[in-house]
Amino acid sequence: MKISESAEMYLETILVLSKKGDVHAIDIVRAMNFSRPTVSVAIHNLEKEKLLKISDEDHITLEPAGLEIAEKIYERHTVLTSFFIKLGVSENIAAEDACKIEHDISDETFECIKNHIS
């Protein structure tokens, strides 16, 4: 399933936030620095795509398809950040650059980077 970079960012953010506890829309607003209406529209669209679920208590959880996408993007982010740091890039810049690249890098190139640094 091919989804937009924006949708990938939401799913990745939800994954990271879920590691700290229950996720609500306000947590996403704060983490991504977006407005409440923007986040509301995005999460409801992701729910329609069956990538996440919003409970009666407004807890947001990833559905299996959303979790798979989020984990893929998060792995790319962490591996690329680590790779750039090993090259001598500062931690902040490494994380920023990884965030830009993680959505566009091919599976083949990413696997080669992973194998190279393992």
Side-chain angles (χ1 to χ4, degrees):
M1 166 187 273
K2 181 66 178 154
I3 63 170
S4 70
E5 180 178 328
S6 174
E8 289 177 345
M9 289 298 298
Y10 276 97
L11 296 172
E12 180 184 19
T13 299
I14 293 165
L15 174 66
V16 170
L17 291 170
S18 71
K19 294 176 185 289
K20 300 173 188 172
D22 291 335
V23 179
H24 297 88
I26 190 64
D27 302 316
I28 300 167
V29 166
R30 290 178 182 139
M32 297 183 81
N33 200 27
F34 291 160
S35 70
R36 286 182 81 113
T38 298
V39 169
S40 180
V41 168
I43 62 175
H44 283 95
N45 286 339
L46 292 168
E47 184 179 38
K48 286 179 191 170
E49 295 293 322
K50 301 197 182 323
L51 296 173
L52 61 80
K53 182 178 179 179
I54 304 169
S55 75
D56 292 337
E57 297 84 27
D58 293 326
H59 295 163
I60 299 167
T61 55
L62 296 171
E63 293 284 14
L67 180 61
E68 183 179 332
I69 293 165
E71 287 176 336
K72 177 180 178 180
I73 297 301
Y74 184 68
E75 178 190 28
R76 287 175 173 214
H77 182 87
T78 56
V79 169
L80 290 169
T81 299
S82 176
F83 178 63
F84 296 148
I85 290 169
K86 286 180 182 179
L87 292 175
V89 178
S90 70
E91 190 172 334
N92 287 343
I93 298 298
E96 287 176 19
D97 287 347
C99 194
K100 295 172 191 170
I101 296 168
E102 67 194 22
H103 304 282
D104 294 320
I105 192 170
S106 71
D107 290 340
E108 179 182 355
T109 300
F110 179 70
E111 288 303 317
C112 288
I113 290 171
K114 256 180 40 176
N115 292 334
H116 180 74
I117 63 175
S118 298

